[in-house]
Amino acid sequence: MSSNFPYRGRFAPSPTGPLHFGSLIAALASYLDARANAGIWLVRMEDIDTTRNVTGAADQILATLEAFGFEWSGEVLFQTRRQDAYAAALERLKASGLAYGCACSRKEIADSSQHLAIDGGQVYPGTCRSGMPLGRSARAWRLRVNADDIFFDDRIQGVIRQQLERDVGDFVLQRADRLFAYQLAVTVDDEFQRISHIVRGADLLASTPRQIWLQQCLDYPTPRYAHLPVAANAAGEKLSKQTRAPALDIGRSSELLADGLYFLGQSPPSDLRKAPQAEVWAWAFEHWSLAHVLRQPTIRLA
Ligand code: GLU
């Protein structure tokens, strides 16, 4: 593991819709943690899955961040402009024998998989691991995993341990539709942007061991991780486009920022919600403490 300083953090939204309170939490905590460590904070637009992008959402996200008073360094990195970098990383993994072509269809995997993966999918049964059946060609490319434990010390959730072979299986790097998978793109970009600290929602906690394994396979250093509680609605569902989370209202930025601070375990005075935005930020910069964030994967909003 390389030195985790100077601090470089990031916020990496996917342009699948407008920002909502759940995304504000990740933006706020990653920004405040970077500021508290005299670090740099970058914004990366994770538009790699072009089947899910919504026209205009990237511009809208950036305009909302600006209206809420976030200040990022440098240019926003768009994943759709980074295809060559992902292709080069995949070539390296193929050359070292770690990535292999897989001919299996979704149905074939479902029919022969014996186990459920940690995030609800199927553990790949390994059919093409030592070569594809005769006459078949690669639909996707997968990364070989093993039975070693991957563990890391999350700054909020504590020590997390996962055995990729049992909990995930050989996972996809390039999908059958030729799109590069999130796991590959995010790992290559965190290295490219020399991210030292990742602060994001605990919905990604189960993905982190895959990203650490990819870092090891590609000889990248491992950043430090902090996984925040995820905001859930009254029904217990994660706030998202699918659960119809309302878009952030830029006319209520002070209120929403103060609510975000409260959600993150900070204790803003109640009149901060009515204060000018600059005062909310001044309070947040002065008082931010990651140690006060609750060690919980989700928090239900009233
Ligand atoms: N783009 C991902 C999302 O919006 C976040 C990825 C990450 O922070 O690593 O959920």
Side-chain angles (χ1 to χ4, degrees), residues 10 12-14 46 182 186 200 204:
R10 47 69 156 185
S14 302
E46 298 212 319
Y182 156 71
V186 78
R200 62 184 178 191
L204 292 162

Side-chain angles (χ1 to χ4, degrees), residues 261-281:
L261 289 166
Y262 182 76
F263 180 94
L264 287 163
Q266 319 296 302
S267 311
S270 54
D271 55 1
L272 204 62
R273 299 177 87 234
K274 305 246 166 342
Q277 191 194 82
E279 271 176 45
V280 183
W281 282 117

